Amino acid sequence: MKVVGKQVPHDSAIGHVTGKALFVDDLAFTQNELIVEFIASPVAHGKIKSFNSVELAQLDGIAGVFTFADIPGHNLYGPVIQDERFLAEEIVEYVGQPIAVIAGESRKAIRHAKKKLRLEIEKLTPVFTIDEALAAKQFIGVPRVFKQGDFEKAWSTAEHTLAGTFVCGGQEQFYLESQAAIAWPGEHGEIHVHSSSQNPTEIQEVVAEALGLGFHEVVCVCKRMGGAFGGKETQAVIPAVMAALVATKTKRPARIAYTKDDDMRSTGKRHPYKIHYKTAFTTEGKLTGLNLEIYSNGGAGADLSTAILERTLFHADNAYFIPNLFFKGTICKTNFPPNTAFRGFGGPQGMANIENVMQEIALVLKKDALEIRRLNCYDHADRNLTPYGQVVRNHLLPEILDQLAETSEYRRRLQEVEQFNRQSTTHLRGLALTPMKFGISFTTKFLNQGNALVNVYKDGTVQVSTGGTEMGQGLNTKIRQLVADEFAISYDDVRIMITSTEKNNNTPPTAASAGTDLNGMAALNACRKIRKNLTEFASSYLLPPDSGLDPSPENIIFENGTIYDDRSKSRFPENKITFRELVKLAFMERISLGERGFYGTPEIDFNRETEKGEPFFYYTTGASVSEVLIDRFTGQLKLERTDLLMDIGETINPGIDKGQIIGGFIQGVGWVTNEDLRYSDKGELLSYSPTTYKIPNIQDLPEIFNVDTIENPQHKINVRRSKAVGEPPLMLCLSVWIAVKHALSCVRNDAIPRLNLPATAEEILRRITELDDDSKDAAGNSSVDESEVSLVSLPILSAEKK
């Protein structure tokens, strides 16, 4: 009957494919319900001069137009730094920023009203790029610095040095269900909100603060989300406040559901980064020092940018030991929507940069990049201290690299790829193997807690409520498996209830890949309280008076839906009872069958004054090897083969975990290849729909795709010895981007190719064109031996041998 470790189908799988799984905007309209939309800023930066809100509110079918002046509580909010407004007051700071909320009887009435809009805004000078923000000295928060050893000494005494700049773009979360919320007013002024949110507690608190209510007067629930990927961790609050404001003002239910276009225009995305790096290394290829100046584009408000930058610093080492380092991170303020959480939470940007550095070291030394990566990889006994002072324990990073190199036949294929590039005049191939180490825990200590409510009913069935939210990742399915096994009952006898702040208070967001870790352990702790009560009762009930044995709870066994005393199993085999029978008897004896469970992640602490400590409970690790084919004339990229290998501990649900590994990787492939956010010179998002923004489709899957896991007997912590698989697989995508860089590097043996991320066809072709021009001297003669390399040439970054 045990189900943990088995491939149980996702509990909403049938509902998802048949359309029976209800999302927020699928819920039936209630009587007198209003439609809610918002009026957005058409400019990136400006001063509001006039707005005909009163006139619009008088139009037929319009129930109200509300501005910041109508918010009864606070108009200022922010998860870390309170610097963002629900509704703009005097100044607008990005295209798409909400200025007013408009409520109507129908969408037709709202569309008609918007045509009557007269909004006068005096334009101010906007700032869009990191370089512009640096020049204007516009920053968010304060710079963060990680130091270890003596970088300056390592640099001055290095056998080799290398310097350059890494640039990467943002990424749209592109959840299929846009931001949505419904608010119902209560009879005593309270508000009930159903939100598509990863963070119901934050919705509860922020709605209460905006409306001037106590937290106890707001309930937020979330049945499921149609995707989130971090984009609904904080940014679901604005639509929730809009709906709640209308419900409060009109005393009518109110519903808001962004269109995909409005969602993409108005919400934050993965942070673009610019990183200047200087690295020192030996002739062997061992990294001796690394200096990073890290700049992120935070947008117009802080949102989670400070925490995201922190995780970038935590992951700027990826899987490599760096004895001497100096990392400085700065957030730039610009006139875009406040950028926010996205799967990986700043880790991918830092890890992409160090992989770029490793590839370039290999090019300078003319060595296989895997040799450089393996040489610098974290070890077990020593060379295992991170830049923030945490020892990397119980990992298999070297073993993963070695096993994947062997199973993927990396070395043989590398020779074939480079031979192909020496001969082909129309195409390039690239091959790269990159490791991944991702820390699991919220890096803010108080967020590492969860609670659960478990109710056992008299028929032996169980309801479980946690603060975790289901966004398709299978959290509810895993918790059902854990609870079923804890009571040794059928999986079908367990149900996960709608997430509600009424049942689970003060919960963290479902994020940081910690949903199962926190909520699963909290649920088990609640189950164990109930099981302890049942065990003590059963120890007396199951023994015959003439058994000669004393009651002993330690000897009570829960197995396959039955409970027995293992000491009497052979002598009194009839003395056993079903779980359902035991529950009925326990109820008659007034034994508690409902308990709360709590869990706080142990052994984590980080001191932000010293920038040292242990912010992570453990690490999820892995590696990937990818092979790409590039058309020299169009830049078109094809991913031909990928092999993934991960250490995810002992899996709770192999099917769901494999789905997360594949899904995370493919989403990452989108980030490093085709997902290119384009803006006009006025700050308007041009790629705001599926027609202009290309997420991966079935044709972007590699033709050969191998996914495997590795056993790690050293990992003995966490719920059922599992490991998080939500975010870590995304970073496996870096092998694809590095494979493109490897392909470009094969065209000349005297240059290091420059490549921005994403490596779109346009970006690849741009580099090919630049380098083709660069390979000719003023007379038009080739400066390289074209019999050995292709006609592609690339600018050389600074590489110096001392």
Side-chain angles (χ1 to χ4, degrees):
M1 189 177 288
K2 288 185 177 181
V3 289
V4 169
K6 294 185 179 179
Q7 194 160 305
V8 178
H10 190 291
D11 68 348
S12 294
I14 294 176
H16 286 157
V17 299
T18 60
K20 293 180 180 180
L22 298 180
F23 300 92
V24 172
D25 202 30
D26 294 325
L27 299 179
F29 277 73
T30 56
Q31 186 176 6
N32 213 26
E33 187 172 305
L34 290 169
I35 298 293
V36 178
E37 293 187 16
F38 64 96
I39 294 169
S41 171
V43 303
H45 195 199
K47 186 175 183 179
I48 300 173
K49 306 296 289 184
S50 66
F51 171 38
N52 63 332
S53 59
V54 175
E55 177 188 341
L56 297 182
Q58 304 304 314
L59 295 174
D60 289 343
I62 299 301
V65 176
F66 307 103
T67 68
F68 74 93
D70 296 300
I71 295 176
H74 301 300
N75 188 40
L76 196 66
Y77 81 104
V80 180
I81 301 171
Q82 290 197 326
D83 65 346
E84 192 174 350
R85 287 163 175 78
F86 294 116
L87 298 175
E89 297 182 7
E90 296 180 359
I91 302 295
V92 291
E93 296 191 281
Y94 59 90
V95 174
Q97 181 177 2
I99 295 175
V101 178
I102 182 167
E105 304 291 345
S106 66
R107 297 194 187 279
K108 182 179 179 180
I110 293 175
R111 286 196 300 270
H112 175 73
K114 284 185 174 182
K115 290 179 181 179
K116 304 288 186 179
L117 172 66
R118 293 195 307 275
L119 178 64
E120 182 184 358
I121 298 178
E122 177 187 335
K123 292 184 180 180
L124 301 174
T125 302
V127 169
F128 295 131
T129 68
I130 287 173
D131 289 340
E132 289 172 353
L134 291 172
K137 295 184 166 67
Q138 288 190 188
F139 306 111
I140 295 172
V142 297
R144 296 282 296 276
V145 174
F146 282 14
K147 295 187 291 186
Q148 184 167 278
D150 187 342
F151 170 77
E152 292 302 329
K153 182 178 179 180
W155 177 263
S156 63
T157 60
E159 296 177 48
H160 298 270
T161 63
L162 177 69
T165 299
F166 166 74
V167 176
C168 71
Q171 185 184 16
E172 164 65 36
Q173 289 90 352
F174 214 92
Y175 30 74
L176 294 183
E177 179 199 24
S178 295
Q179 302 281 1
I182 304 175
W184 295 274
E187 61 184 52
H188 300 296
E190 69 273 17
I191 291 289
H192 186 100
V193 180
H194 193 145
S195 173
S196 181
S197 170
Q198 296 172 245
N199 198 347
T201 287
E202 184 178 48
I203 299 292
Q204 174 195 28
E205 295 175 356
V206 174
V207 166
E209 290 169 348
L211 299 182
L213 302 174
F215 292 175
H216 67 303
E217 296 176 285
V218 179
V219 173
C220 178
V221 301
C222 177
K223 172 64 176 176
R224 62 168 60 86
M225 289 165 277
F229 309 114
K232 295 176 181 177
E233 182 174 346
T234 59
Q235 303 218 338
V237 299
I238 289 183
V241 167
M242 289 178 180
L245 176 64
V246 171
T248 298
K249 292 292 184 179
T250 64
K251 307 302 180 187
R252 295 170 62 178
R255 172 188 308 239
I256 187 168
Y258 287 10
T259 65
K260 177 54 68 177
D261 291 6
D262 287 344
D263 193 304
M264 293 184 70
R265 287 189 182 107
S266 297
T267 60
K269 313 182 187 315
R270 187 186 296 283
H271 291 65
Y273 271 65
K274 189 171 192 177
I275 303 176
H276 303 297
Y277 55 88
K278 294 168 61 179
T279 181
F281 52 99
T282 67
T283 300
E284 182 187 16
K286 187 170 288 187
L287 196 65
T288 58
L290 182 64
N291 179 295
L292 301 178
E293 293 181 28
I294 303 170
Y295 299 99
S296 73
N297 188 329
D303 198 271
L304 291 167
S305 292
T306 54
I308 289 165
L309 177 69
E310 180 179 76
R311 190 169 278 268
T312 300
L313 292 167
F314 282 135
H315 290 84
D317 61 327
N318 190 16
Y320 308 112
F321 174 68
I322 309 169
N324 304 287
L325 59 91
F326 185 90
F327 299 166
K328 182 178 180 180
T330 304
I331 305 164
C332 297
K333 180 174 180 176
T334 61
N335 292 110
F336 287 123
N339 285 317
T340 190
F342 196 147
R343 201 175 195 167
F345 205 74
Q349 295 94 321
M351 295 160 75
N353 175 72
I354 189 66
E355 291 305 328
N356 183 59
V357 169
M358 288 294 169
Q359 195 73 14
E360 293 186 352
I361 290 174
L363 293 174
V364 169
L365 299 176
K366 301 189 185 307
K367 293 189 175 185
D368 176 8
L370 176 57
E371 179 184 340
I372 304 301
R373 291 184 168 91
R374 183 63 174 83
L375 179 67
N376 288 283
C377 186
Y378 278 114
D379 209 338
H380 299 297
D382 55 9
R383 293 178 57 82
N384 59 355
L385 188 68
T386 65
Y388 42 92
Q390 181 165 353
V391 175
V392 184
R393 302 182 181 91
N394 303 321
H395 68 93
L396 297 177
L397 282 167
E399 292 84 352
I400 289 172
L401 286 175
D402 294 344
Q403 179 173 320
L404 187 59
E406 181 179 350
T407 57
S408 68
E409 299 182 284
Y410 168 84
R411 291 177 177 84
R412 176 189 62 78
R413 291 166 59 200
L414 181 64
Q415 292 179 356
E416 293 177 353
V417 163
E418 295 186 341
Q419 177 65 25
F420 174 88
N421 290 338
R422 285 191 288 270
Q423 296 174 348
S424 176
T425 59
T426 59
H427 290 80
L428 290 168
R429 290 190 185 276
L431 183 70
L433 194 160
T434 59
M436 175 276 297
K437 172 184 67 65
F438 195 78
I440 306 301
S441 292
F442 286 98
T443 54
T444 299
K445 184 176 180 179
F446 70 81
L447 293 174
N448 293 285
Q449 59 177 300
N451 64 72
L453 172 65
V454 175
N455 290 325
V456 178
Y457 293 91
K458 289 181 286 183
D459 66 349
T461 59
V462 180
Q463 287 184 350
V464 184
S465 300
T466 77
T469 54
E470 177 62 56
M471 60 196 88
Q473 83 279 33
L475 172 66
N476 288 350
T477 306
K478 287 187 173 183
I479 293 178
R480 284 180 69 183
Q481 290 177 264
L482 291 167
V483 170
D485 272 15
E486 191 64 27
F487 289 129
I489 60 177
S490 167
Y491 172 82
D492 292 330
D493 286 341
V494 181
R495 283 289 178 268
I496 305 297
M497 309 309 293
I498 188 170
T499 304
S500 170
T501 58
E502 186 179 11
K503 290 182 179 179
N504 298 98
N505 60 320
N506 308 325
T507 59
T510 304
S513 304
T516 302
D517 292 9
L518 296 176
N519 298 288
M521 277 302 305
L524 286 182
N525 287 340
C527 292
R528 287 163 185 169
K529 289 182 181 180
I530 298 171
R531 181 164 165 162
K532 180 176 182 292
N533 296 340
L534 293 174
T535 298
E536 290 176 351
F537 171 67
S539 66
S540 299
Y541 178 82
L542 289 174
L543 289 177
D546 59 349
S547 67
L549 300 174
D550 295 325
S552 174
E554 291 77 15
N555 292 98
I556 298 299
I557 304 298
F558 284 62
E559 184 179 77
N560 293 331
T562 61
I563 296 90
Y564 60 89
D565 188 316
D566 66 348
R567 298 171 301 170
S568 64
K569 186 175 183 180
S570 58
R571 293 173 54 193
F572 309 103
E574 71 282 359
N575 283 0
K576 60 183 180 181
I577 192 171
T578 66
F579 181 77
R580 178 174 297 188
E581 292 169 336
L582 179 62
V583 166
K584 287 181 180 178
L585 292 170
F587 170 75
M588 299 301 292
E589 294 298 324
R590 299 180 297 175
I591 292 171
S592 174
L593 298 175
E595 297 288 349
R596 299 190 65 84
F598 178 83
Y599 176 74
T601 309
E603 302 174 14
I604 56 170
D605 197 20
F606 184 75
N607 187 328
R608 288 184 172 84
E609 292 182 3
T610 63
E611 303 288 19
K612 299 292 181 184
E614 297 199 357
F616 304 118
F617 189 33
Y618 63 88
Y619 296 95
T620 295
T621 57
S624 61
V625 55
S626 294
E627 184 173 342
V628 301
L629 178 68
I630 296 171
D631 187 313
R632 291 178 186 260
F633 300 106
T634 65
Q636 188 65 39
L637 172 69
K638 181 180 180 183
L639 178 56
E640 295 200 311
R641 174 176 172 177
T642 289
D643 296 68
L644 309 180
L645 180 62
M646 288 192 67
D647 169 16
I648 58 171
E650 296 183 15
T651 179
I652 295 172
N653 188 312
I656 285 176
D657 285 349
K658 188 172 183 180
Q660 286 292 290
I661 292 171
I662 294 172
F665 171 76
I666 294 299
Q667 188 172 49
V669 169
W671 174 54
V672 302
T673 60
N674 287 325
E675 295 189 36
D676 193 13
L677 294 165
R678 295 294 183 92
Y679 297 85
S680 73
D681 57 4
K682 297 178 182 179
E684 302 166 311
L685 181 65
L686 301 176
S687 51
Y688 58 81
S689 75
T691 60
T692 49
Y693 186 78
K694 188 181 185 303
I695 64 171
N697 61 31
I698 194 68
Q699 294 176 337
D700 294 306
L701 285 169
E703 292 183 2
I704 301 174
F705 197 8
N706 299 313
V707 181
D708 203 358
T709 58
I710 188 172
E711 292 186 11
N712 184 355
Q714 302 172 50
H715 177 71
K716 299 180 180 179
I717 58 175
N718 203 43
V719 54
R720 295 294 173 93
R721 298 186 179 182
S722 66
K723 283 190 175 186
V725 292
E727 292 170 288
L730 184 137
M731 276 66 76
L732 297 176
C733 71
L734 296 177
S735 64
V736 178
W737 186 74
I738 293 295
V740 175
K741 183 148 183 151
H742 170 248
L744 295 175
S745 71
C746 288
V747 301
R748 288 181 60 184
N749 58 13
D750 64 344
I752 298 175
R754 183 175 61 217
L755 182 67
N756 291 345
L757 188 158
T760 61
E762 293 88 347
E763 169 69 10
I764 294 171
L765 188 59
R766 180 184 302 116
R767 299 308 178 190
I768 290 175
T769 302
E770 288 176 356
L771 302 167
D772 185 46
D773 293 341
D774 193 56
S775 67
K776 310 289 184 179
D777 60 23
N781 298 315
S782 175
S783 60
V784 296
D785 183 352
E786 293 181 355
S787 65
E788 294 296 321
V789 295
S790 78
L791 297 178
V792 181
S793 60
L794 288 166
I796 301 176
L797 299 179
S798 58
E800 177 183 355
K801 181 176 181 181
K802 296 187 178 179

